[in-house]
Amino acid sequence: MRKTSVAIIFLTVLIDLIGFGLLLPLIPVYSENFGATGWQIGAIMASYSAMQFIFAPIWGRLSDRVGRRPVLLASTACACMSYVIFALGSHYTGSTALLIILVSRIFAGICGANITVAQAYIADITPPEKRSARMGLIGMAFGLGFVLGPPLGGFSSQKYGISAPGWVAAGLCAINFLWAFARLGESWKPAEHSQTQRPHLAHWMHVLRLPRLNLLVGIFFLATFCFASFETTIGLLIIDKFHLDTKKALGSVSWVIFYCGVIGALSQGGVRGFVKRVGEPRLITFSLFMAAIGIGIIPFVQGWGLLLVALAVFSVGSSLTRPPVFGMISNLTPAHEQGATMGVAQGVGSLARIVGPVFATGIFLYHPAIPYIVCAVFCFITSLVALRCLAAPKPL
């Protein structure tokens, strides 16, 4: 059952993120077409992460209480509904369309529990020494979803109209739901592990007070913050560096994101070997140091060849941070709190996806290199803290 379950969880996350990636690059375009102001576009973009910050821990706690399977199924069904709302909103114009699209992203953020519960599911069925490698598979599915989603969204919108990506995403989620409903077994039976749960805010404070656990959650915040800052400004940097017009820049940025996504996904597929050689703490330290080098030199290299090398270094470093972080978080968390703790970590990551773009775009206006230098300094300092403070986790 375990091999089958891992495959289903991998496909569940992959299809979920393909659906998410289908719409993400198109939201600003749709918003501009419907007369949105800059702050309205920002609100639509940030609404999903804002809701995830609030609700990801709640869904994780619920999965500890009722089991992983029903929460995964409910989340997938609600995601399907959110994409249907998005597609329907695309048929309207002006403020009506913007309001419906905003509602669809808020609803998707509220119901989006797949990543949180998938990580808890993997922790349930995986021995402690193999969890980082299995978390790498989740990260690989996450990366591939973002790689495959945007081009599929662009193709479907050009071929069948602006509502098509919403319908394609809804269809993928429907397939995902049917597949999981038919094949996915339950990994966690609460009746067999009856424990009293902490209140919602109390568990947040509990996680953030535990020395190694709070450091790991902080590292995940930093990694997500830096990647979100990079993702938001790389298009602007390419336009500035290579003096491209908007049309050429859109094509170039799409390929850059695709390139980074492929490298990141492949890197996470090799996490198991890295963990065996050096262990989670040293891998986290090395990956942060590598990310610091990569993001630090991106604004200064000249020519596409050196830029692609710098992007590859950053992508590998950024991608290798997440699996061992979540492997260690899982090993430091009691079995009956896996969902709640993963939810807190994902909630913190969602907060980083809100703060990072605001920080990066604001400071980019002063000088294009500043957000990259700041992120490089953060990664380097955090790598030193990780080297000093992280120790091998004690399995629970």
Side-chain angles (χ1 to χ4, degrees):
M1 191 272 272
R2 293 191 173 189
K3 289 185 178 179
T4 302
S5 297
V6 170
I8 295 171
I9 289 293
F10 178 88
L11 289 173
T12 296
V13 174
L14 176 63
I15 293 173
D16 186 60
L17 267 296
I18 288 176
F20 181 78
L22 271 164
L23 302 189
L24 188 61
L26 301 175
I27 290 175
V29 177
Y30 285 8
S31 302
E32 288 178 359
N33 286 348
F34 301 138
T37 61
W39 74 266
Q40 289 173 323
I41 295 172
I44 291 172
M45 295 290 286
S47 59
Y48 180 91
S49 293
M51 294 301 102
Q52 282 277 283
F53 171 67
I54 298 170
F55 286 94
I58 295 174
W59 282 105
R61 283 168 52 81
L62 183 63
S63 77
D64 289 334
R65 186 180 303 166
V66 304
R68 316 298 183 203
R69 187 176 187 273
V71 176
L72 278 170
L73 292 175
S75 174
T76 304
C78 290
C80 181
M81 291 172 60
S82 75
Y83 293 131
V84 169
I85 295 170
F86 190 100
L88 293 174
S90 302
H91 290 292
Y92 291 85
T93 58
S95 58
T96 302
L98 289 174
L99 179 60
I100 295 173
I101 289 173
L102 177 61
V103 168
S104 75
R105 301 313 296 152
I106 291 173
F107 184 61
I110 291 172
C111 300
N114 277 359
I115 302 298
T116 297
V117 182
Q119 288 174 322
Y121 194 110
I122 290 296
D124 294 338
I125 66 173
T126 307
E129 68 275 9
K130 294 183 179 179
R131 285 181 187 171
S132 292
R134 289 278 174 85
M135 295 297 176
L137 290 178
I138 297 292
M140 187 177 183
F142 191 96
L144 287 175
F146 270 112
V147 168
L148 298 174
L152 184 57
F155 172 79
S156 61
S157 63
Q158 291 175 2
K159 190 77 173 176
Y160 301 106
I162 61 173
S163 67
W167 293 117
V168 173
L172 287 173
C173 283
I175 294 170
N176 190 6
F177 175 84
L178 294 173
W179 171 256
F181 183 82
R183 300 295 303 276
L184 186 65
E186 179 57 77
S187 65
W188 176 251
K189 296 179 180 178
E192 298 177 4
H193 308 82
S194 180
Q195 297 280 348
T196 302
Q197 287 190 320
R198 294 183 183 87
H200 178 64
L201 292 178
H203 192 75
W204 269 87
M205 297 308 298
H206 171 72
V207 170
L208 298 179
R209 276 197 301 260
L210 292 177
R212 282 186 295 175
L213 203 54
N214 58 19
L215 175 58
L216 290 163
V217 171
I219 289 172
F220 180 60
F221 175 88
L222 173 85
T224 307
F225 174 89
C226 291
F227 193 83
S229 299
F230 157 80
E231 205 172 30
T232 306
T233 58
I234 188 61
L236 300 173
L237 184 69
I238 287 174
I239 291 172
D240 181 74
K241 183 180 288 290
F242 297 104
H243 309 290
L244 301 177
D245 58 36
T246 303
K247 186 176 181 180
K248 288 183 178 178
L250 285 173
S252 299
V253 172
S254 297
W255 280 110
V256 164
I257 293 174
F258 178 85
Y259 170 78
C260 292
V262 169
I263 289 177
L266 293 176
S267 299
Q268 292 190 81
V271 164
R272 181 179 179 182
F274 291 120
V275 170
K276 279 187 174 181
R277 289 187 182 93
V278 300
E280 283 95 343
R282 289 184 180 179
L283 179 57
I284 292 169
T285 300
F286 172 75
S287 65
L288 287 168
F289 182 73
M290 196 171 181
I293 294 174
I295 199 168
I297 64 177
I298 283 173
F300 301 107
V301 295
Q302 300 297 320
W304 278 104
L306 290 177
L307 178 61
L308 291 175
V309 172
L311 290 169
V313 172
F314 173 66
S315 297
V316 171
S318 179
S319 299
L320 288 179
T321 303
R322 291 169 177 81
V325 162
F326 277 101
M328 290 188 71
I329 288 174
S330 176
N331 288 341
L332 289 167
T333 301
H336 67 280
E337 294 180 344
Q338 290 288 331
T341 302
M342 293 298 178
V344 169
Q346 290 296 340
V348 167
S350 297
L351 180 62
R353 283 189 286 273
I354 299 171
V355 177
V358 174
F359 159 80
T361 52
I363 204 169
F364 186 92
L365 298 176
Y366 291 96
H367 193 286
I370 294 178
Y372 293 83
I373 295 172
V374 171
C375 287
V377 171
F378 284 168
C379 286
F380 179 71
I381 292 174
T382 308
S383 72
L384 297 180
V385 173
L387 180 64
R388 181 178 178 82
C389 299
L390 286 181
K394 296 177 182 179
L396 294 172

